[in-house]
Amino acid sequence: METRAGERRRTLLRAAMVLGLALLLAGFMVRDVRARAFVETDYIARALWAAGGLLAAGSLALDWRRVLALLRGRRTAEGVNFVFVAVLGVVLAALLCYITTRRYARLDWTRAGRFGLHSQTESILAALEQDVHVVTLYRSDDSYDMAVVGYAGDMLEEMKARSPHISTEEMDLTLAATQSRINRLLAQLGVSDLAVPAVVFVAGDRHETITFDRIATSSRGSVEMPDVFLGEDAFAGALKRLTAGEGAVVYALTGHGQRQLKVEDRAGGPPQAAGAGAGPARSLSRVASALEHDNYEVRVLDLAAEGRVPEDCDVLVVAGARARLAESELRAISRYLDEQEGSLILMLESPFGVAVDTNVTELLADYGIRAREDAVGVTRMQGLLGQTVTEKTVPVPGERLPDHPAVAGLDGFRLWLEMAVPLEITAEQPAPGLSTRPLLTGVESSWGATGIEPGSQQAIEYNPAADLPPGVIVGAVVEPTAGGGMAQEAPEGPKILVLGSTGAFANTTVDQHRANLYLLSNAVNWMAGRTHLLGIPPRSMDMHIVSVSPSQVLAARYVFIGVLPALFIAAGALVWLVRRR
C-alpha cells in the first residue's frame, strides 16, 4: 500500500510540475496577445503566473529527492545532451536567419516588374549620402490605411534594400503605447502636430510629410478601394528634396486672363480675368503643387510691370492667355528665348470653349509651329450605349508618344486633351541648331475640325477638304540639336513646349487623368536640366487584402511557432512511449 501510494504521489507531483510550467508559459502568451486588444486584463496573466509558480515550486519542494536522483541518472545526462544539441541547432538557425536579414537580394519576378524600382529612383538612392529615417503613421482599424501601408511598405523595403542610408519604422495610432513614440518624433522635428495618416521622411533637422492621398488614389472615385499607387514618385521626390540643394524657379505669366497656377495669388497679384480659369477647380494649382514638391519655387510674373523676364527664371509658363499681350511683352519673351536661351511652356486656350482674343501664338511663327485657332481637336468615339459620338477631346495613347524626356515613362498611359487647338509643323529645322517635331499625336480617329461655330451643338463630320487630317497634332516641342541628333539634355538654345489645351491640366482634369500632370512635371524637369526628377508614373494596385488585427497576428505567431511544433513533439513522444512498451 505504501509503494502504490508513493507512486500515486510522485505522479501527482510530476503532473503539478508540468501544469505549473504550462501555466507560467500561458501567462506570458496571454499577456502578450491581450495587450494589443484589451487594456485592463493584466490580472489574468498575473493569476496564471501565480498559480503556475506555486504549482511548480511546490512540486519541486515536495519531491526534491526525486529531482536530484533524476539529475544524476544516465538518461538525464543523455536528455541534457539532446537538449543542448537542439538548442545549439536553433541558435545556429537563428544566426542564419539574422544574417539573411542583413545580406539578401530582392528579386521582382513579375512580368511587368511591378515591384521593382524605376531607374530614376535607383539613381537617387545610389547618390544618397545622408541618413533618412522613414516613419509610417497609420490606423490598423482602417481598411484604406492598411491597403496603402501594405503597398507603401513593400516600396520602402525595396528602397531600404538599395541604400544603407534608409531606415524605416511603423507606428499604429490605435495603440496607446504609440503616443509616446509620436511625442518623441514631434519633439525631434520641432513641430506640434503631423498630418496623419502619412509617411514622414526625416533627414537631419529637415522632414517632409506625405499624406496617404498623395500615395494612392482610386480611378473609380472610392477612397476605400485605392487601385493606383503614386508612392514611388512621392517617395523619390521627398528623398531628392530633403537631400538636394537649392531649387529652381518657375514663373507663370499673369495679366492676360491666364489660368492661375496658384489660386491664392489672385488676392495680392495682378487681377485675373473672370472665366474658365478663375475658380480653384479650373485653375492649375495641382500643377503648382507638383512642381513645389519637386523643389521648385513658383512665382507670378507681370511683364507689363517688370518689362523683362527675370534672370533667375528657369522655366516660363504661359497658361492659356485669352487677352492680347503688348508688343513689349512679346519682345521680352522673345529676348528671353533667344538671348537667355530660356525655356517656355505655352498652353493654348481654344476659342471654342471661352472667348479668346490673343496674339500669343505669334511667338511660334519663328519656330516652325502654326496654331490653328480656327479649328478644334475632335475624336470619334463609342458612346455608353454603343452609338458613335464625336467629342471635342483628343486622346493621346502611350504608343504614339515619341522617345523624349518630356514624356518619359508615360508609354503605358493615355493623355486626354480637351478643347485642344490643333498644331501644324511648318518647319522641322526653323533655325540652325534648332529642331521642331510633334510630341503629342492623337488617335487615328481624331482630327482638327474647322467651320464649327463656338458653342454650337451641330453634328461634326470629317471634311477632307477643310479639316486637319486624322492623327491630329496637339503638342509640339522645339529644342536644340547637338551633332545633328536630338539632345536629351540640350547644350545650348531655347526650349519650347506647345500644348494645344490648357483645360487638360486643370485640377478637375488631372484628378481623373494623372498622366496629364506627369507630362507637365516631366517637361519642367527636362527644361530645367533636372532629368533625375523626371516623373515616375503611377502603378496599378492589384491587391487582395485580409484585415488582421495585431492581437490576431500575435496569436498566430504562437500557434505556428509554439502550439503546432509542440503538438508534433507530443506526437513523437507518444509514438516513442508506445514503441518502448
Side-chain angles (χ1 to χ4, degrees):
M1 292 296 295
E2 294 179 357
T3 302
R4 187 173 300 174
E7 290 180 357
R8 187 181 299 113
R9 178 174 173 274
R10 284 194 295 271
T11 301
L12 291 174
L13 290 175
R14 292 173 188 173
M17 173 68 75
V18 173
L19 179 59
L21 295 176
L23 290 176
L24 288 173
L25 179 60
F28 284 104
M29 293 174 61
V30 169
R31 183 179 184 277
D32 196 10
V33 173
R34 70 86 215 155
R36 301 301 184 98
F38 308 102
V39 180
E40 301 296 338
T41 54
D42 280 338
Y43 63 89
I44 297 178
R46 294 195 190 102
L48 291 172
W49 288 336
L54 288 174
L55 284 173
S59 60
L60 180 63
L62 294 173
D63 200 22
W64 62 273
R65 289 188 177 87
R66 179 68 178 175
V67 173
L68 287 178
L70 287 173
L71 292 176
R72 292 171 184 165
R74 177 182 175 184
R75 290 186 178 179
T76 301
E78 293 175 349
V80 170
N81 180 69
F82 172 78
V83 171
F84 175 77
V85 172
V87 170
L88 181 61
V90 171
V91 171
L92 291 176
L95 287 175
L96 180 61
C97 292
Y98 176 78
I99 293 172
T100 58
T101 62
R102 299 292 180 176
R103 306 289 181 185
Y104 59 91
R106 295 172 63 91
L107 301 176
D108 181 6
W109 289 24
T110 59
R111 180 182 302 177
R114 292 179 57 245
F115 299 102
L117 296 179
H118 194 278
S119 58
Q120 298 298 337
T121 307
E122 293 179 350
S123 299
I124 294 172
L125 292 170
L128 192 63
E129 298 180 352
Q130 183 178 0
D131 290 341
V132 179
H133 187 58
V134 187
V135 183
T136 302
L137 303 169
Y138 66 97
R139 295 187 62 88
S140 61
D141 57 358
D142 190 312
S143 60
Y144 173 78
D145 280 15
M146 296 311 297
V148 177
V149 167
Y151 219 88
D154 288 340
M155 184 61 62
L156 292 173
E157 284 297 318
E158 286 291 332
M159 292 183 171
K160 187 167 68 171
R162 303 297 178 93
S163 174
H165 296 286
I166 300 290
S167 59
T168 60
E169 181 181 7
E170 292 186 358
M171 295 186 187
D172 183 357
L173 301 176
T174 63
L175 302 182
T178 303
Q179 190 58 50
S180 60
R181 297 164 62 192
I182 294 179
N183 291 336
R184 288 195 297 270
L185 177 63
L186 294 175
Q188 176 188 350
L189 302 179
V191 297
S192 59
D193 196 12
L194 285 172
V196 293
V199 177
V200 184
F201 284 72
V202 183
D205 58 350
R206 303 177 63 192
H207 76 279
E208 179 166 339
T209 302
I210 302 176
T211 53
F212 277 15
D213 61 337
R214 289 174 53 197
I215 298 174
T217 186
S218 172
S219 61
R220 299 179 293 270
S222 171
V223 297
E224 297 296 330
M225 299 179 64
D227 60 352
V228 179
F229 182 69
L230 313 170
E232 184 177 4
D233 186 47
F235 296 164
L239 288 175
K240 193 61 186 178
R241 289 189 294 275
L242 288 174
T243 57
E246 185 178 352
V249 182
V250 174
Y251 279 89
L253 187 65
T254 189
H256 311 89
Q258 292 92 339
R259 299 197 188 222
Q260 305 164 70
L261 263 72
K262 302 183 74 175
V263 175
E264 62 270 23
D265 289 332
R266 187 177 183 187
Q272 299 282 341
R282 301 300 292 171
S283 74
L284 307 183
S285 61
R286 297 279 194 282
V287 174
S289 297
L291 295 177
E292 289 168 346
H293 291 154
D294 279 349
N295 205 24
Y296 287 95
E297 183 178 353
V298 180
R299 302 176 185 173
V300 172
L301 174 62
D302 182 6
L303 269 180
E306 297 290 338
R308 64 192 302 274
V309 179
E311 292 289 338
D312 63 348
C313 177
D314 292 286
V315 180
L316 175 63
V317 178
V318 181
R322 287 178 282 138
R324 299 181 67 83
L325 279 67
E327 290 298 323
S328 60
E329 294 176 290
L330 291 176
R331 288 195 297 271
I333 296 176
S334 295
R335 286 196 301 269
Y336 166 69
L337 293 172
D338 298 336
E339 299 174 10
Q340 298 175 231
E341 297 178 350
S343 297
L344 170 68
I345 296 180
L346 180 59
M347 305 181 207
L348 304 179
E349 196 76 70
S350 172
F352 292 91
V354 294
V356 175
D357 180 21
T358 183
N359 57 350
V360 70
T361 54
E362 294 178 7
L363 292 167
L364 304 176
D366 294 336
Y367 297 100
I369 300 176
R370 179 189 177 195
R372 292 291 303 269
E373 295 171 286
D374 62 330
V376 62
V378 298
T379 305
R380 184 152 292 164
M381 307 178 184
Q382 285 294 116
L384 294 177
L385 301 179
Q387 76 277 23
T388 301
V389 295
T390 302
E391 300 285 351
K392 295 176 182 175
T393 299
V394 177
V396 180
E399 57 268 21
R400 297 182 71 89
L401 295 174
D403 181 16
H404 193 277
V407 290
L410 297 179
D411 52 309
F413 299 88
R414 176 168 290 205
L415 298 105
W416 296 83
L417 277 75
E418 60 184 42
M419 303 299 297
V421 176
L423 305 174
E424 291 180 327
I425 306 299
T426 59
E428 294 183 357
Q429 292 183 321
L434 286 182
S435 174
T436 300
R437 62 166 168 162
L439 185 70
L440 306 179
T441 304
V443 295
E444 290 297 339
S445 58
S446 66
W447 71 92
T450 61
I452 303 175
E453 294 296 328
S456 172
Q457 300 298 319
Q458 68 189 79
I460 303 175
E461 297 293 337
Y462 176 56
N463 181 1
D467 294 345
L468 281 75
V472 64
I473 300 172
V474 290
V477 64
V478 180
E479 59 189 336
T481 57
M486 303 304 300
Q488 292 292 306
E489 295 184 29
E492 295 180 353
K495 298 176 184 176
I496 303 174
L497 172 63
V498 184
L499 299 169
S501 171
T502 306
F505 307 98
N507 293 345
T508 53
T509 304
V510 298
D511 285 346
Q512 298 180 31
H513 308 293
R514 301 290 295 186
N516 290 17
L517 179 61
Y518 280 91
L519 166 65
L520 276 186
S521 295
N522 274 3
V524 172
N525 287 320
W526 164 66
M527 288 181 163
R530 307 174 76 191
T531 53
H532 57 273
L533 283 179
L534 289 178
I536 300 167
R539 302 172 183 232
S540 172
M541 291 178 64
D542 297 328
M543 295 171 42
H544 303 281
I545 299 171
V546 177
S547 298
V548 181
S549 68
S551 60
Q552 291 172 324
V553 172
L554 285 173
R557 183 180 70 186
Y558 285 115
V559 168
F560 291 107
I561 297 178
V563 175
L564 289 181
L567 291 176
F568 283 110
I569 293 173
L574 180 61
V575 171
W576 177 78
L577 288 173
V578 171
R579 295 186 63 182
R580 183 168 177 259
R581 291 178 181 178

